[in-house]
Amino acid sequence: MSFEEKLMSQKKPAFPVTEELNSYLIKHSRNIKIPVFYEDLLRFQGSVTVYDNNDNDTLWIRVYYSEFERQEIDLSLKKVYTILHSNGNEDTIQYLNIDAVDYCTFGNSKPFRIKVRNILNDNYTYFYVKKTDASRIYGLELEHMLSPYNLNYLVYKNTLIEEHIAGIPGDVFIKDNLPNCSALEKAQIAKEFVKFNERCMIRLLGDMRSYNYVIVPTHDFDNVVYKIRAIDFDQQCFEGKFKVYYPQFFKENITMVQLVGEKLSSPSIEQYKLEERSIVAKRILSSEKRITELVSCMKNDVISTEKNIDLLKQQIFDFTKDIPFKKSDNMGEILENALSFVKRNYENVSMR
């Protein structure tokens, strides 16, 4: 049995969207009628394997539809793009082309990736069509409120539309880019991994193996600044083992963990953890009403198993010695107590 199979308990099922969560999505303009469903895209007639620039199988296939189906699907996907990016204004549809529809059979969500090109200037972008899963929606919302990044997505009935998160996949970056980074850049990446690790743990986002996050390089004067962004939110508050919520414990991230050990001292690591906890606490305070609404949905929802809930609340209690964790009845209450713990510690420090 592999390390991940020991760490990850089982394949996570997709959880349905409750009426309460649906009402939350409507209130915050996340639930909008769209002209195409996930099942519509499954009607493809054939496919070919998609390879990367080095002729490696990407685990995506490019799908093809009958001529009649293609016209209808292309128009519907263009309309989805306008809903996602321009509030449904269809004036630009004539300038859009659907260059590719790719399907991934790897992983839980089995998404479709849509490549949209502006024919006036050849600029292109992507979006994803997936089956709805309450875990993923909770993960997207928490990322939107608690991370440095805003997320753009839509939900309608059984279909989830997600905006593409640009960046270099973590596994590709570790293999191809990291060896060529300067010593200063490596130290900065190590710092970002510590902060990313802490942020995932605080909001209980699991399974951040290297292919589930991206590295985003940004040029700043004569330096390149690197940030780390999660791109997969299926494992929000599902697993019972606390280690699953730490990216550092996955073998795919061993190079990043070693980098942290080489480039950062223990006091620096603690400093960056404290900085990230403080930043997350400020975000909790600034979005407190909306977070409370979301957590209320989670507390009335079933997004994990009793076994996982019992294990996680005990392991977090062992880590924090905070009594409310032992009294948690579901994943929503565990997350509520985790966010309260971070906020409380921040407020206590601020009052000194």
PDB file of all heavy atoms in Angstrom, residues 305-334:
ATOM      1  N   THR A 305     -17.842  11.222   6.673  1.00  0.00           N
ATOM      2  CA  THR A 305     -18.361  10.059   7.396  1.00  0.00           C
ATOM      3  C   THR A 305     -18.199  10.263   8.896  1.00  0.00           C
ATOM      4  O   THR A 305     -17.354  11.048   9.340  1.00  0.00           O
ATOM      5  CB  THR A 305     -17.606   8.787   6.981  1.00  0.00           C
ATOM      6  OG1 THR A 305     -16.231   8.904   7.402  1.00  0.00           O
ATOM      7  CG2 THR A 305     -17.649   8.591   5.471  1.00  0.00           C
ATOM      8  N   GLU A 306     -18.981   9.545   9.677  1.00  0.00           N
ATOM      9  CA  GLU A 306     -18.871   9.642  11.145  1.00  0.00           C
ATOM     10  C   GLU A 306     -17.466   9.251  11.606  1.00  0.00           C
ATOM     11  O   GLU A 306     -16.910   9.866  12.521  1.00  0.00           O
ATOM     12  CB  GLU A 306     -19.914   8.737  11.806  1.00  0.00           C
ATOM     13  CG  GLU A 306     -21.344   9.220  11.671  1.00  0.00           C
ATOM     14  CD  GLU A 306     -21.580  10.545  12.382  1.00  0.00           C
ATOM     15  OE1 GLU A 306     -20.939  10.793  13.420  1.00  0.00           O
ATOM     16  OE2 GLU A 306     -22.402  11.343  11.880  1.00  0.00           O
ATOM     17  N   LYS A 307     -16.898   8.235  10.967  1.00  0.00           N
ATOM     18  CA  LYS A 307     -15.549   7.784  11.329  1.00  0.00           C
ATOM     19  C   LYS A 307     -14.532   8.904  11.114  1.00  0.00           C
ATOM     20  O   LYS A 307     -13.679   9.167  11.977  1.00  0.00           O
ATOM     21  CB  LYS A 307     -15.173   6.561  10.490  1.00  0.00           C
ATOM     22  CG  LYS A 307     -13.784   6.018  10.774  1.00  0.00           C
ATOM     23  CD  LYS A 307     -13.490   4.813   9.889  1.00  0.00           C
ATOM     24  CE  LYS A 307     -12.067   4.300  10.115  1.00  0.00           C
ATOM     25  NZ  LYS A 307     -11.754   3.149   9.227  1.00  0.00           N
ATOM     26  N   ASN A 308     -14.617   9.581   9.972  1.00  0.00           N
ATOM     27  CA  ASN A 308     -13.682  10.673   9.685  1.00  0.00           C
ATOM     28  C   ASN A 308     -13.870  11.839  10.650  1.00  0.00           C
ATOM     29  O   ASN A 308     -12.898  12.467  11.089  1.00  0.00           O
ATOM     30  CB  ASN A 308     -13.850  11.153   8.250  1.00  0.00           C
ATOM     31  CG  ASN A 308     -13.272  10.190   7.231  1.00  0.00           C
ATOM     32  OD1 ASN A 308     -12.600   9.223   7.592  1.00  0.00           O
ATOM     33  ND2 ASN A 308     -13.533  10.428   5.963  1.00  0.00           N
ATOM     34  N   ILE A 309     -15.129  12.156  10.953  1.00  0.00           N
ATOM     35  CA  ILE A 309     -15.421  13.263  11.868  1.00  0.00           C
ATOM     36  C   ILE A 309     -14.836  12.978  13.247  1.00  0.00           C
ATOM     37  O   ILE A 309     -14.158  13.836  13.840  1.00  0.00           O
ATOM     38  CB  ILE A 309     -16.947  13.490  11.962  1.00  0.00           C
ATOM     39  CG1 ILE A 309     -17.478  14.018  10.629  1.00  0.00           C
ATOM     40  CG2 ILE A 309     -17.284  14.475  13.091  1.00  0.00           C
ATOM     41  CD1 ILE A 309     -18.994  13.935  10.493  1.00  0.00           C
ATOM     42  N   ASP A 310     -15.067  11.777  13.767  1.00  0.00           N
ATOM     43  CA  ASP A 310     -14.568  11.418  15.096  1.00  0.00           C
ATOM     44  C   ASP A 310     -13.044  11.443  15.145  1.00  0.00           C
ATOM     45  O   ASP A 310     -12.447  11.905  16.124  1.00  0.00           O
ATOM     46  CB  ASP A 310     -15.082  10.032  15.498  1.00  0.00           C
ATOM     47  CG  ASP A 310     -16.579  10.018  15.768  1.00  0.00           C
ATOM     48  OD1 ASP A 310     -17.150  11.109  16.000  1.00  0.00           O
ATOM     49  OD2 ASP A 310     -17.186   8.927  15.734  1.00  0.00           O
ATOM     50  N   LEU A 311     -12.411  10.946  14.080  1.00  0.00           N
ATOM     51  CA  LEU A 311     -10.952  10.906  14.050  1.00  0.00           C
ATOM     52  C   LEU A 311     -10.362  12.314  13.966  1.00  0.00           C
ATOM     53  O   LEU A 311      -9.431  12.653  14.706  1.00  0.00           O
ATOM     54  CB  LEU A 311     -10.480  10.071  12.860  1.00  0.00           C
ATOM     55  CG  LEU A 311      -8.961   9.953  12.662  1.00  0.00           C
ATOM     56  CD1 LEU A 311      -8.299   9.321  13.881  1.00  0.00           C
ATOM     57  CD2 LEU A 311      -8.647   9.158  11.402  1.00  0.00           C
ATOM     58  N   LEU A 312     -10.923  13.144  13.089  1.00  0.00           N
ATOM     59  CA  LEU A 312     -10.361  14.477  12.888  1.00  0.00           C
ATOM     60  C   LEU A 312     -10.522  15.350  14.131  1.00  0.00           C
ATOM     61  O   LEU A 312      -9.579  16.042  14.533  1.00  0.00           O
ATOM     62  CB  LEU A 312     -11.008  15.157  11.683  1.00  0.00           C
ATOM     63  CG  LEU A 312     -10.439  16.530  11.323  1.00  0.00           C
ATOM     64  CD1 LEU A 312      -8.947  16.436  10.977  1.00  0.00           C
ATOM     65  CD2 LEU A 312     -11.206  17.153  10.158  1.00  0.00           C
ATOM     66  N   LYS A 313     -11.701  15.330  14.745  1.00  0.00           N
ATOM     67  CA  LYS A 313     -11.892  16.203  15.913  1.00  0.00           C
ATOM     68  C   LYS A 313     -10.966  15.789  17.064  1.00  0.00           C
ATOM     69  O   LYS A 313     -10.480  16.647  17.808  1.00  0.00           O
ATOM     70  CB  LYS A 313     -13.353  16.215  16.350  1.00  0.00           C
ATOM     71  CG  LYS A 313     -13.885  14.948  16.979  1.00  0.00           C
ATOM     72  CD  LYS A 313     -15.358  15.117  17.331  1.00  0.00           C
ATOM     73  CE  LYS A 313     -15.912  13.918  18.082  1.00  0.00           C
ATOM     74  NZ  LYS A 313     -17.355  14.065  18.380  1.00  0.00           N
ATOM     75  N   GLN A 314     -10.701  14.482  17.177  1.00  0.00           N
ATOM     76  CA  GLN A 314      -9.788  14.025  18.227  1.00  0.00           C
ATOM     77  C   GLN A 314      -8.349  14.438  17.926  1.00  0.00           C
ATOM     78  O   GLN A 314      -7.620  14.903  18.815  1.00  0.00           O
ATOM     79  CB  GLN A 314      -9.875  12.505  18.376  1.00  0.00           C
ATOM     80  CG  GLN A 314      -8.992  11.934  19.487  1.00  0.00           C
ATOM     81  CD  GLN A 314      -9.345  12.465  20.852  1.00  0.00           C
ATOM     82  OE1 GLN A 314     -10.513  12.458  21.238  1.00  0.00           O
ATOM     83  NE2 GLN A 314      -8.353  12.956  21.592  1.00  0.00           N
ATOM     84  N   GLN A 315      -7.938  14.300  16.658  1.00  0.00           N
ATOM     85  CA  GLN A 315      -6.555  14.641  16.305  1.00  0.00           C
ATOM     86  C   GLN A 315      -6.307  16.146  16.401  1.00  0.00           C
ATOM     87  O   GLN A 315      -5.222  16.569  16.815  1.00  0.00           O
ATOM     88  CB  GLN A 315      -6.234  14.120  14.904  1.00  0.00           C
ATOM     89  CG  GLN A 315      -6.131  12.602  14.838  1.00  0.00           C
ATOM     90  CD  GLN A 315      -5.524  12.094  13.547  1.00  0.00           C
ATOM     91  OE1 GLN A 315      -5.280  12.837  12.601  1.00  0.00           O
ATOM     92  NE2 GLN A 315      -5.283  10.793  13.493  1.00  0.00           N
ATOM     93  N   ILE A 316      -7.312  16.960  16.034  1.00  0.00           N
ATOM     94  CA  ILE A 316      -7.125  18.412  16.173  1.00  0.00           C
ATOM     95  C   ILE A 316      -7.123  18.800  17.647  1.00  0.00           C
ATOM     96  O   ILE A 316      -6.365  19.686  18.065  1.00  0.00           O
ATOM     97  CB  ILE A 316      -8.214  19.188  15.398  1.00  0.00           C
ATOM     98  CG1 ILE A 316      -8.141  18.883  13.906  1.00  0.00           C
ATOM     99  CG2 ILE A 316      -8.042  20.690  15.626  1.00  0.00           C
ATOM    100  CD1 ILE A 316      -9.135  19.665  13.064  1.00  0.00           C
ATOM    101  N   PHE A 317      -7.944  18.132  18.452  1.00  0.00           N
ATOM    102  CA  PHE A 317      -7.911  18.398  19.902  1.00  0.00           C
ATOM    103  C   PHE A 317      -6.541  18.052  20.473  1.00  0.00           C
ATOM    104  O   PHE A 317      -5.982  18.810  21.274  1.00  0.00           O
ATOM    105  CB  PHE A 317      -8.993  17.602  20.627  1.00  0.00           C
ATOM    106  CG  PHE A 317      -8.836  17.641  22.131  1.00  0.00           C
ATOM    107  CD1 PHE A 317      -9.176  18.792  22.843  1.00  0.00           C
ATOM    108  CD2 PHE A 317      -8.311  16.559  22.816  1.00  0.00           C
ATOM    109  CE1 PHE A 317      -9.008  18.844  24.220  1.00  0.00           C
ATOM    110  CE2 PHE A 317      -8.135  16.601  24.194  1.00  0.00           C
ATOM    111  CZ  PHE A 317      -8.486  17.753  24.895  1.00  0.00           C
ATOM    112  N   ASP A 318      -5.987  16.900  20.057  1.00  0.00           N
ATOM    113  CA  ASP A 318      -4.655  16.511  20.540  1.00  0.00           C
ATOM    114  C   ASP A 318      -3.611  17.557  20.169  1.00  0.00           C
ATOM    115  O   ASP A 318      -2.652  17.785  20.912  1.00  0.00           O
ATOM    116  CB  ASP A 318      -4.259  15.158  19.941  1.00  0.00           C
ATOM    117  CG  ASP A 318      -5.124  14.017  20.466  1.00  0.00           C
ATOM    118  OD1 ASP A 318      -5.749  14.185  21.524  1.00  0.00           O
ATOM    119  OD2 ASP A 318      -5.176  12.961  19.790  1.00  0.00           O
ATOM    120  N   PHE A 319      -3.816  18.215  19.031  1.00  0.00           N
ATOM    121  CA  PHE A 319      -2.865  19.223  18.546  1.00  0.00           C
ATOM    122  C   PHE A 319      -3.051  20.568  19.248  1.00  0.00           C
ATOM    123  O   PHE A 319      -2.079  21.240  19.599  1.00  0.00           O
ATOM    124  CB  PHE A 319      -3.042  19.390  17.035  1.00  0.00           C
ATOM    125  CG  PHE A 319      -2.150  20.426  16.411  1.00  0.00           C
ATOM    126  CD1 PHE A 319      -0.778  20.223  16.297  1.00  0.00           C
ATOM    127  CD2 PHE A 319      -2.677  21.614  15.925  1.00  0.00           C
ATOM    128  CE1 PHE A 319       0.044  21.182  15.727  1.00  0.00           C
ATOM    129  CE2 PHE A 319      -1.865  22.576  15.355  1.00  0.00           C
ATOM    130  CZ  PHE A 319      -0.498  22.360  15.252  1.00  0.00           C
ATOM    131  N   THR A 320      -4.305  20.977  19.461  1.00  0.00           N
ATOM    132  CA  THR A 320      -4.587  22.322  19.989  1.00  0.00           C
ATOM    133  C   THR A 320      -4.921  22.348  21.472  1.00  0.00           C
ATOM    134  O   THR A 320      -4.790  23.394  22.115  1.00  0.00           O
ATOM    135  CB  THR A 320      -5.774  22.952  19.246  1.00  0.00           C
ATOM    136  OG1 THR A 320      -6.952  22.151  19.488  1.00  0.00           O
ATOM    137  CG2 THR A 320      -5.510  23.034  17.750  1.00  0.00           C
ATOM    138  N   LYS A 321      -5.406  21.205  22.020  1.00  0.00           N
ATOM    139  CA  LYS A 321      -5.919  21.128  23.394  1.00  0.00           C
ATOM    140  C   LYS A 321      -7.102  22.072  23.599  1.00  0.00           C
ATOM    141  O   LYS A 321      -7.384  22.503  24.715  1.00  0.00           O
ATOM    142  CB  LYS A 321      -4.810  21.448  24.420  1.00  0.00           C
ATOM    143  CG  LYS A 321      -3.550  20.618  24.276  1.00  0.00           C
ATOM    144  CD  LYS A 321      -3.839  19.122  24.333  1.00  0.00           C
ATOM    145  CE  LYS A 321      -2.559  18.304  24.164  1.00  0.00           C
ATOM    146  NZ  LYS A 321      -2.843  16.845  24.067  1.00  0.00           N
ATOM    147  N   ASP A 322      -7.822  22.373  22.511  1.00  0.00           N
ATOM    148  CA  ASP A 322      -8.967  23.274  22.564  1.00  0.00           C
ATOM    149  C   ASP A 322     -10.246  22.424  22.690  1.00  0.00           C
ATOM    150  O   ASP A 322     -10.614  21.692  21.764  1.00  0.00           O
ATOM    151  CB  ASP A 322      -9.012  24.142  21.304  1.00  0.00           C
ATOM    152  CG  ASP A 322      -9.898  25.359  21.466  1.00  0.00           C
ATOM    153  OD1 ASP A 322      -9.806  26.029  22.504  1.00  0.00           O
ATOM    154  OD2 ASP A 322     -10.676  25.644  20.538  1.00  0.00           O
ATOM    155  N   ILE A 323     -10.924  22.533  23.831  1.00  0.00           N
ATOM    156  CA  ILE A 323     -12.048  21.665  24.170  1.00  0.00           C
ATOM    157  C   ILE A 323     -13.176  21.655  23.134  1.00  0.00           C
ATOM    158  O   ILE A 323     -13.759  20.599  22.855  1.00  0.00           O
ATOM    159  CB  ILE A 323     -12.621  22.045  25.550  1.00  0.00           C
ATOM    160  CG1 ILE A 323     -11.608  21.707  26.652  1.00  0.00           C
ATOM    161  CG2 ILE A 323     -13.931  21.319  25.825  1.00  0.00           C
ATOM    162  CD1 ILE A 323     -11.315  20.225  26.784  1.00  0.00           C
ATOM    163  N   PRO A 324     -13.545  22.811  22.516  1.00  0.00           N
ATOM    164  CA  PRO A 324     -14.668  22.784  21.563  1.00  0.00           C
ATOM    165  C   PRO A 324     -14.522  21.752  20.445  1.00  0.00           C
ATOM    166  O   PRO A 324     -15.529  21.252  19.934  1.00  0.00           O
ATOM    167  CB  PRO A 324     -14.683  24.214  21.008  1.00  0.00           C
ATOM    168  CG  PRO A 324     -14.156  25.049  22.131  1.00  0.00           C
ATOM    169  CD  PRO A 324     -13.093  24.194  22.767  1.00  0.00           C
ATOM    170  N   PHE A 325     -13.288  21.413  20.062  1.00  0.00           N
ATOM    171  CA  PHE A 325     -13.110  20.421  18.999  1.00  0.00           C
ATOM    172  C   PHE A 325     -13.693  19.068  19.404  1.00  0.00           C
ATOM    173  O   PHE A 325     -14.303  18.380  18.582  1.00  0.00           O
ATOM    174  CB  PHE A 325     -11.635  20.270  18.633  1.00  0.00           C
ATOM    175  CG  PHE A 325     -11.092  21.406  17.816  1.00  0.00           C
ATOM    176  CD1 PHE A 325     -10.204  22.317  18.370  1.00  0.00           C
ATOM    177  CD2 PHE A 325     -11.483  21.589  16.497  1.00  0.00           C
ATOM    178  CE1 PHE A 325      -9.715  23.382  17.624  1.00  0.00           C
ATOM    179  CE2 PHE A 325     -11.001  22.641  15.744  1.00  0.00           C
ATOM    180  CZ  PHE A 325     -10.109  23.549  16.314  1.00  0.00           C
ATOM    181  N   LYS A 326     -13.537  18.681  20.677  1.00  0.00           N
ATOM    182  CA  LYS A 326     -14.034  17.388  21.134  1.00  0.00           C
ATOM    183  C   LYS A 326     -15.560  17.330  21.101  1.00  0.00           C
ATOM    184  O   LYS A 326     -16.146  16.258  21.045  1.00  0.00           O
ATOM    185  CB  LYS A 326     -13.534  17.101  22.552  1.00  0.00           C
ATOM    186  CG  LYS A 326     -12.033  16.881  22.652  1.00  0.00           C
ATOM    187  CD  LYS A 326     -11.634  16.312  23.987  1.00  0.00           C
ATOM    188  CE  LYS A 326     -11.973  14.835  24.086  1.00  0.00           C
ATOM    189  NZ  LYS A 326     -11.422  14.207  25.308  1.00  0.00           N
ATOM    190  N   LYS A 327     -16.192  18.504  21.143  1.00  0.00           N
ATOM    191  CA  LYS A 327     -17.653  18.562  21.175  1.00  0.00           C
ATOM    192  C   LYS A 327     -18.270  18.704  19.777  1.00  0.00           C
ATOM    193  O   LYS A 327     -19.489  18.796  19.633  1.00  0.00           O
ATOM    194  CB  LYS A 327     -18.106  19.728  22.053  1.00  0.00           C
ATOM    195  CG  LYS A 327     -17.627  19.626  23.500  1.00  0.00           C
ATOM    196  CD  LYS A 327     -18.068  20.834  24.320  1.00  0.00           C
ATOM    197  CE  LYS A 327     -17.593  20.727  25.761  1.00  0.00           C
ATOM    198  NZ  LYS A 327     -17.981  21.921  26.562  1.00  0.00           N
ATOM    199  N   SER A 328     -17.432  18.733  18.749  1.00  0.00           N
ATOM    200  CA  SER A 328     -17.926  18.912  17.380  1.00  0.00           C
ATOM    201  C   SER A 328     -18.706  17.682  16.924  1.00  0.00           C
ATOM    202  O   SER A 328     -18.276  16.546  17.148  1.00  0.00           O
ATOM    203  CB  SER A 328     -16.754  19.160  16.419  1.00  0.00           C
ATOM    204  OG  SER A 328     -16.008  20.290  16.812  1.00  0.00           O
ATOM    205  N   ASP A 329     -19.842  17.906  16.274  1.00  0.00           N
ATOM    206  CA  ASP A 329     -20.683  16.807  15.798  1.00  0.00           C
ATOM    207  C   ASP A 329     -20.548  16.550  14.308  1.00  0.00           C
ATOM    208  O   ASP A 329     -21.001  15.519  13.811  1.00  0.00           O
ATOM    209  CB  ASP A 329     -22.150  17.101  16.112  1.00  0.00           C
ATOM    210  CG  ASP A 329     -22.446  17.045  17.604  1.00  0.00           C
ATOM    211  OD1 ASP A 329     -21.797  16.253  18.308  1.00  0.00           O
ATOM    212  OD2 ASP A 329     -23.322  17.816  18.061  1.00  0.00           O
ATOM    213  N   ASN A 330     -19.959  17.497  13.563  1.00  0.00           N
ATOM    214  CA  ASN A 330     -19.843  17.321  12.116  1.00  0.00           C
ATOM    215  C   ASN A 330     -18.684  18.166  11.602  1.00  0.00           C
ATOM    216  O   ASN A 330     -18.056  18.918  12.363  1.00  0.00           O
ATOM    217  CB  ASN A 330     -21.150  17.686  11.407  1.00  0.00           C
ATOM    218  CG  ASN A 330     -21.658  19.061  11.811  1.00  0.00           C
ATOM    219  OD1 ASN A 330     -20.940  20.061  11.667  1.00  0.00           O
ATOM    220  ND2 ASN A 330     -22.874  19.132  12.327  1.00  0.00           N
ATOM    221  N   MET A 331     -18.402  18.040  10.305  1.00  0.00           N
ATOM    222  CA  MET A 331     -17.269  18.762   9.730  1.00  0.00           C
ATOM    223  C   MET A 331     -17.476  20.277   9.770  1.00  0.00           C
ATOM    224  O   MET A 331     -16.526  21.038   9.922  1.00  0.00           O
ATOM    225  CB  MET A 331     -17.028  18.302   8.293  1.00  0.00           C
ATOM    226  CG  MET A 331     -16.314  16.967   8.192  1.00  0.00           C
ATOM    227  SD  MET A 331     -14.647  17.033   8.887  1.00  0.00           S
ATOM    228  CE  MET A 331     -14.047  15.382   8.506  1.00  0.00           C
ATOM    229  N   GLY A 332     -18.722  20.730   9.636  1.00  0.00           N
ATOM    230  CA  GLY A 332     -18.992  22.157   9.722  1.00  0.00           C
ATOM    231  C   GLY A 332     -18.601  22.722  11.075  1.00  0.00           C
ATOM    232  O   GLY A 332     -18.008  23.802  11.171  1.00  0.00           O
ATOM    233  N   GLU A 333     -18.911  21.978  12.145  1.00  0.00           N
ATOM    234  CA  GLU A 333     -18.560  22.439  13.493  1.00  0.00           C
ATOM    235  C   GLU A 333     -17.051  22.387  13.715  1.00  0.00           C
ATOM    236  O   GLU A 333     -16.492  23.251  14.397  1.00  0.00           O
ATOM    237  CB  GLU A 333     -19.303  21.607  14.532  1.00  0.00           C
ATOM    238  CG  GLU A 333     -20.795  21.880  14.563  1.00  0.00           C
ATOM    239  CD  GLU A 333     -21.502  21.168  15.702  1.00  0.00           C
ATOM    240  OE1 GLU A 333     -20.821  20.592  16.570  1.00  0.00           O
ATOM    241  OE2 GLU A 333     -22.751  21.190  15.714  1.00  0.00           O
ATOM    242  N   ILE A 334     -16.390  21.373  13.158  1.00  0.00           N
ATOM    243  CA  ILE A 334     -14.926  21.310  13.276  1.00  0.00           C
ATOM    244  C   ILE A 334     -14.292  22.525  12.606  1.00  0.00           C
ATOM    245  O   ILE A 334     -13.402  23.170  13.170  1.00  0.00           O
ATOM    246  CB  ILE A 334     -14.382  20.000  12.663  1.00  0.00           C
ATOM    247  CG1 ILE A 334     -14.830  18.790  13.482  1.00  0.00           C
ATOM    248  CG2 ILE A 334     -12.850  20.038  12.599  1.00  0.00           C
ATOM    249  CD1 ILE A 334     -14.451  17.445  12.870  1.00  0.00           C
TER     250      ILE A 334
END
